[in-house]
Amino acid sequence: MPGTPLPKMASRHRKSLALVAAAAAVPLVLAGCADNAKTPGSNASAGPIQVTSTKTECKVSTGSVPSGNLSFAVKNEGTEITEFYLLAEDGLRIVGEVENIGPGLTRNLVVTAPAGKYTTACKPGMQGDGIRSAFEVTDSGNKTAVDADFQKLADTGVQQYAAYVKDQTEQLVTGTKAFADAYAAGDTSKARELYAATRMHWERIEPVAESFGDLDPKLDAREADLEPGQEWTGWHRAEKDLFPPAGYTALTAAERAKIATQLVADTEELGKRTRTVELSADKLGNGAKELLDEVARGKVTGEEEIWSHTDLWDFQANVDGARIAFESLKPALTQKDAALAKSLDEKFSALQAELKKHATGDGFAYYNELSATEVQQLAALVDALGEPLSKLTSAVVL
Amino acid sequence: MSGCPFGGTSPEAPDGGTQADAVGSAPAAAPEPAVASDVGSPKRGLSRRGLLSLAGVGGAVAGLAAGYLSHDAVPAEAAPASTAGDVVPFYGERQAGIVTPAQDRLHMAAFDVTVEDRTAVIKLLKDWTAAAEAMTAARTTGRTGAVDGPYDAPPEDTGEAIDLAAGKLTLTFGFGPGLFEKDGKARFGLDGRRPDALIDLPRFPGDALQPERTGGDIVVQACADDPQVAVHAIRNLARIGFGKVRVRWSQLGFGRTSSTSRAQTTPRNLFGFKDGTANLKVEDGTLLDQHVWATAGSRSGEAWMAGGSYLVSRRIRMHIEIWDRTSLREQEGLIGRTKGAGAPLSGGEEFTAPDFGLKGRDGGPLIAVDSHVRLAHASQNDGVKMLRRGYNYTDGSDGLGHLDAGLFFIAFVKDPRTHYVPMQMAMAKSDKLALEYLKHTGSGLFAVPPGIKPGGFIGEGLFA
Ligand SMILES: [Cu+2]
């Protein structure tokens, strides 16, 4: 089904191009959800609003649509990269945007817009204020869920999550030092005891930690993931040494000390860098989804902790991280899509309840103690949660 | 060139002529060429094609019916000329199944040789040659086929392909490192014959290879437009080989994931993306010499590979469910192409060359540095290209409710040391797609000898 052509619409109603001086370098708080397929708008009969961007023109097939979900199909018929914006009446606030449209490509922008006056803009060459037109959304009678509080709710959620990341990294640094001390001192039983519990702080904020491409492999590479010639450091290096497989030769005291020192140094570096990470609602939403993907890919299969079998600690920590991200966004989400919020609540609870069955004392059963049925049950609940969770970002950001 | 149906221009081997060639040479026991007038002789065993034609081709009915009733045991009947379009010639300068148009279905099997007797291996290769020639021409295997043998003996052919057309079946044979050496010792008198390019593949980061899906002494790639035809072929070869070879692994594939001709549209992989847009095609004459066909090498012992190729197979499990939860923005970003038309993100249409230098917002490249299309592109790999011939696969589910599905990657290259290993190493290290959505669970590297001439057998040059 190669590139089904978008339905053609005559350009009925083109308003004169109003070039409004505006600062376009406003940080994009509301990233529009751009996609490349045909997405029916709220008024499915009409199809998406066709936008054609060339070097000198920005044709919009209609200048007035009823309120609801608006879908713009933006076709770049120019020779440069273009962008398309839907701006608020002031010509400054970005309601939705789709960027990086290569020549010849078509991308969709889907936004939810209440009745009011707007401005559309194409920006061929990504320069200047763009070619602008007035655009009107009339009241369709269908109340859109967006109100002025929404952005505040989303911002508050992002701040809450940032605080959580800070707290977790601090605990991670403290915990790692204690672990490293025990490990370097040769106190195997204490190091084993601290291993899984300390890693939970890492696993809770994994998407943030993983955004540092250089630190992640130093701290969390598994033996199977190593590149030829790559030095193996980090948690799993210590794991193999603490939970040795048959025939394994233990590291010397000096080697252990080296691993421990490196682990602490890399973790402190991570802590420092997370302070400057800029979070946003879409990063929270995607981060939550990625945490569940991590569970589905590595934890529920027992591949993450192949020597210690402490996968359920990581599992719980990933779920914690995802749930905190979700809960930070929940007030905003509830405004947009209360049903999704409710469904996510239920699915988090169901998964948590199942996980709890495997809790023992402060920790969990080892992965290799689980029966096939128990693993299947966990996997099913992860999938049940993962599917709606993948809709969180677009629900909040759209 | 007769191994390639596009080379049907080859004057001495139009389809009909190739069929005639085939007549005399299939059974190793009867090397003297049969004459073309044997074609269509009523004194023939029943063929799959024959049964099919019985209904369709009026003029042939009497003759074929006579053949059926006679239960004649003469092997190697030529298929009627009316089936020519459905038959890919088996004999030729190159083995079929490399640059011949990719069919829709795959059954590939790797065998371990379980005997240490050189003569037995040669005998097997001769028997396989005869059977392969028969099956690719829509005939049954053995002298008596599926239903014409003694009533109290099991039929020589398993029979499930009776009534089916040839389905463009191709059978392509290759030799793995294990055929030449085992435990550091040469086998079958093949000391010094292992080509230098037939390396032991290095371990790539992230590999999760399962021994029962990896390696093998001899590989057979069966491709056809009908899965039953492909399965029938491997099944009968395995049966002929019992006691000498044992199937080490086998893989079914559907939905070819690349095109080997400009006449074919680019198919989609299970991620829903067009795959193989930049693939080498049969029309790329000189490029095939540069990138696909092996040369005689530097030692006399490996000269038998001249005109052959190297087959790399990788079973690549895809994390389908996780992919399906990924936004379209991220999917396209990871691949570097649009999902709809398959155009590079730098613009244009499917076959527009990607512009890796084009920068988008914030100065970042439109086609990300770690995108699949960039990492795999010849321009990022010293200009090397490969001829890919992969298939989608689904082996049911994994017990956790997830599809055990992905891409069975097959590529033919001139030399894996230059044309596969560096690219795969770069992918395994940096391709975000590979890191997060793929897992390599099986692997194989095989030396695919050149084509087989009538009267010859698979790998004849190696055992000469
Ligand atoms: Cu690919």
Side-chain angles (χ1 to χ4, degrees):
Chain A
M1 204 192 56
T4 311
L6 291 152
K8 289 216 166 58
M9 277 183 71
S11 111
R12 277 179 289 154
H13 207 95
R14 208 148 57 72
K15 298 263 168 95
S16 64
L17 303 176
L19 280 163
V20 185
V26 177
L28 299 171
V29 199
L30 274 173
C33 174
D35 61 36
N36 198 25
K38 43 271 131 216
T39 310
S42 56
N43 40 355
S45 58
I49 303 153
Q50 306 291 312
V51 179
T52 313
S53 172
T54 66
K55 195 175 174 62
T56 53
E57 282 191 303
C58 181
K59 290 188 210 163
V60 183
S61 61
T62 175
S64 176
V65 294
S67 58
N69 274 344
L70 311 184
S71 178
F72 296 87
V74 185
K75 168 120 209 245
N76 181 3
E77 287 189 352
T79 52
E80 307 165 289
I81 299 166
T82 197
E83 303 179 327
F84 176 77
Y85 293 85
L86 182 68
L87 303 164
E89 191 182 10
D90 62 5
L92 293 172
R93 192 170 65 83
I94 295 164
V95 178
E97 51 97 36
V98 48
E99 80 282 26
N100 287 340
I101 312 175
L105 303 188
T106 300
R107 284 190 188 284
N108 282 10
L109 168 66
V110 183
V111 290
T112 309
K117 292 196 186 319
Y118 295 83
T119 300
T120 57
C122 297
K123 217 193 275 186
M126 304 181 293
Q127 300 284 322
D129 298 326
I131 304 164
R132 300 186 168 210
S133 306
F135 188 81
E136 192 185 7
V137 177
T138 58
D139 194 346
S140 65
N142 298 328
K143 199 174 145 12
T144 47
V146 184
D147 70 36
D149 288 342
F150 175 78
Q151 192 53 47
K152 235 170 99 187
L153 292 174
D155 289 348
T156 309
V158 170
Q159 283 161 19
Q160 280 173 8
Y161 189 75
Y164 176 71
V165 171
K166 182 166 178 283
D167 177 51
Q168 287 300 314
T169 23
E170 280 167 5
Q171 294 196 53
L172 176 65
V173 171
T174 315
T176 303
K177 282 180 180 156
F179 168 80
D181 285 347
Y183 178 57
D187 190 344
T188 302
S189 66
K190 183 159 179 216
R192 280 174 158 221
E193 213 181 287
L194 293 173
Y195 175 81
T198 309
R199 274 181 57 72
M200 286 183 84
H201 300 298
W202 161 271
E203 294 281 342
R204 285 189 185 116
I205 55 161
E206 207 172 358
V208 177
E210 280 183 346
S211 65
F212 307 110
D214 55 334
L215 286 178
D216 178 46
K218 281 169 135 181
L219 282 163
D220 202 34
R222 298 175 312 137
E223 191 173 26
D225 295 336
L226 295 180
E227 299 168 14
Q230 182 188 344
E231 195 195 350
W232 188 22
T233 59
W235 284 103
H236 294 299
R237 183 69 197 91
E239 180 204 357
K240 189 174 184 179
D241 202 41
L242 289 169
F243 305 88
Y248 173 83
T249 313
L251 295 181
T252 64
E255 285 168 327
R256 283 186 169 208
K258 200 173 154 228
I259 300 279
T261 309
Q262 185 75 47
L263 185 67
V264 170
D266 290 337
T267 306
E268 283 178 331
E269 173 68 18
L270 173 81
K272 229 181 343 187
R273 289 204 220 164
T274 50
R275 289 306 119 76
T276 57
V277 168
E278 275 187 44
L279 292 169
S280 53
D282 60 327
K283 281 193 183 151
L284 260 61
N286 286 334
K289 172 203 168 298
E290 281 167 30
L291 281 164
L292 253 276
D293 288 350
E294 281 284 333
V295 172
R297 203 165 34 219
K299 275 78 175 191
V300 84
T301 56
E303 283 169 62
E304 176 80 12
E305 307 283 0
I306 59 166
W307 293 293
S308 67
H309 303 298
T310 55
D311 300 271
L312 287 195
W313 278 258
D314 300 355
F315 192 145
Q316 176 67 62
N318 284 164
V319 172
D320 289 346
R323 190 175 44 80
I324 298 293
F326 158 63
E327 278 176 359
S328 302
L329 291 176
K330 197 159 92 179
L333 176 67
T334 306
Q335 265 208 8
K336 288 278 192 83
D337 189 341
L340 180 60
K342 182 164 175 281
S343 155
L344 285 171
D345 253 337
E346 287 166 6
K347 276 151 186 157
F348 267 114
S349 304
L351 177 57
Q352 189 55 60
E354 186 67 22
L355 256 179
K356 211 171 171 184
K357 288 188 192 161
H358 305 291
T360 55
D362 286 347
F364 291 91
Y366 292 107
Y367 184 82
N368 52 351
E369 295 168 0
L370 299 179
S371 71
T373 318
E374 286 168 331
V375 171
Q376 279 165 359
Q377 182 59 19
L378 284 167
L381 290 166
V382 168
D383 282 340
L385 172 60
E387 195 60 33
L389 196 58
S390 68
K391 301 192 174 90
L392 173 62
T393 305
S394 58
V396 173
V397 170
L398 248 184
Chain B
M1 199 58 228
S2 58
C4 150
F6 287 94
T9 51
S10 172
E12 76 284 359
D15 285 317
T18 308
Q19 304 305 328
D21 283 350
V23 171
S25 40
E32 70 279 7
V35 285
S37 63
D38 277 2
V39 176
S41 150
K43 297 205 143 240
R44 290 287 148 197
L46 176 68
S47 81
R48 274 159 56 187
R49 174 48 61 188
L51 269 181
L52 196 76
S53 305
L54 208 55
V57 188
V61 167
L64 285 161
Y68 177 72
L69 293 171
S70 74
H71 283 247
D72 195 322
V74 176
E77 178 207 9
S82 63
T83 66
D86 194 50
V87 171
V88 181
F90 176 73
Y91 293 115
E93 199 183 319
R94 319 276 191 203
Q95 288 199 57
I98 303 175
V99 295
T100 47
Q103 303 90 323
D104 285 334
R105 306 300 179 125
L106 167 81
H107 189 192
M108 186 180 262
F111 296 86
D112 282 335
V113 181
T114 53
V115 293
E116 293 301 328
D117 172 4
R118 176 181 167 105
T119 321
V121 174
I122 294 173
K123 170 77 165 62
L124 173 69
L125 292 171
K126 286 181 173 170
D127 291 347
W128 272 2
T129 304
E133 191 280 326
M135 291 189 288
T136 53
R139 297 194 316 276
T140 50
T141 56
R143 299 177 73 82
T144 57
V147 291
D148 290 344
Y151 211 46
D152 291 313
E156 286 187 284
D157 185 281
T158 53
E160 74 272 31
I162 295 176
D163 302 346
L164 299 179
K168 300 201 180 78
L169 173 69
T170 55
L171 290 162
T172 315
F173 296 79
F175 302 129
L179 185 74
F180 301 85
E181 287 161 27
K182 203 160 120 188
D183 307 323
K185 284 213 293 250
R187 304 176 80 187
F188 312 116
L190 295 177
D191 215 352
R193 309 302 307 270
R194 176 175 171 178
D196 293 342
L198 185 63
I199 53 173
D200 295 316
L201 285 177
R203 194 187 166 281
F204 299 103
D207 270 4
L209 303 183
Q210 299 164 356
E212 70 277 15
R213 298 189 193 281
T214 299
D217 297 344
I218 304 179
V219 78
V220 185
Q221 169 193 276
C223 300
D225 284 341
D226 182 334
Q228 182 131 332
V229 167
V231 168
H232 169 262
I234 293 294
R235 176 177 168 192
N236 282 274
L237 295 179
R239 191 173 172 217
I240 291 168
F242 272 125
K244 295 176 185 169
V245 292
R246 185 180 60 85
V247 175
R248 182 178 177 85
W249 54 262
S250 81
Q251 182 68 51
L252 285 172
F254 62 91
R256 64 182 170 86
T257 59
S258 37
S259 309
T260 53
S261 160
R262 304 213 190 284
Q264 296 179 310
T265 56
T266 311
R268 291 177 189 272
N269 59 26
L270 293 181
F271 284 159
F273 277 77
K274 291 196 170 194
D275 201 1
T277 292
N279 202 22
L280 277 177
K281 312 268 195 312
V282 64
E283 293 88 347
D284 296 328
T286 43
L287 287 177
L288 296 176
D289 284 335
Q290 284 168 31
H291 300 292
V292 177
W293 303 125
T295 57
S298 54
R299 295 181 295 105
S300 62
E302 53 179 357
W304 61 273
M305 268 298 285
S309 190
Y310 291 88
L311 184 162
V312 184
S313 68
R314 303 282 290 181
R315 185 177 183 274
I316 306 174
R317 167 90 187 262
M318 291 172 160
H319 294 296
I320 305 272
E321 291 79 8
I322 295 175
W323 179 261
D324 293 344
R325 291 174 205 147
T326 302
S327 71
L328 185 60
R329 176 196 293 276
E330 189 168 353
Q331 291 186 6
E332 291 195 348
L334 289 165
I335 301 284
R337 290 183 179 277
T338 66
K339 193 166 189 172
L345 292 185
S346 53
E349 284 153 16
E350 185 193 344
F351 290 99
T352 307
D355 180 351
F356 297 117
L358 200 59
K359 293 197 162 63
R361 161 110 42 103
D362 306 326
L366 273 196
I367 300 178
V369 180
D370 52 10
S371 68
H372 189 66
V373 68
R374 183 189 288 257
L375 288 163
H377 200 268
S379 66
Q380 314 294 311
N381 290 286
D382 282 334
V384 304
K385 289 169 172 267
M386 51 178 72
L387 186 136
R388 282 181 295 155
R389 227 180 179 282
Y391 286 84
N392 297 323
Y393 78 82
T394 301
D395 290 345
S397 298
D398 66 359
L400 294 180
H402 301 149
L403 277 180
D404 182 356
L407 170 66
F408 195 75
F409 172 95
I410 300 171
F412 289 91
V413 296
K414 182 188 199 75
D415 187 333
R417 293 169 297 182
T418 50
H419 281 63
Y420 179 72
V421 172
M423 189 211 69
Q424 179 52 31
M425 198 57 89
M427 293 271 209
K429 280 184 197 174
S430 333
D431 186 3
K432 257 185 91 185
L433 181 75
L435 296 173
E436 293 184 16
Y437 297 96
L438 307 177
K439 187 157 90 178
H440 289 234
T441 55
S443 178
L445 178 63
F446 304 92
V448 175
I452 301 130
K453 303 224 161 56
F457 65 95
I458 300 148
E460 190 171 12
L462 172 60
F463 288 93

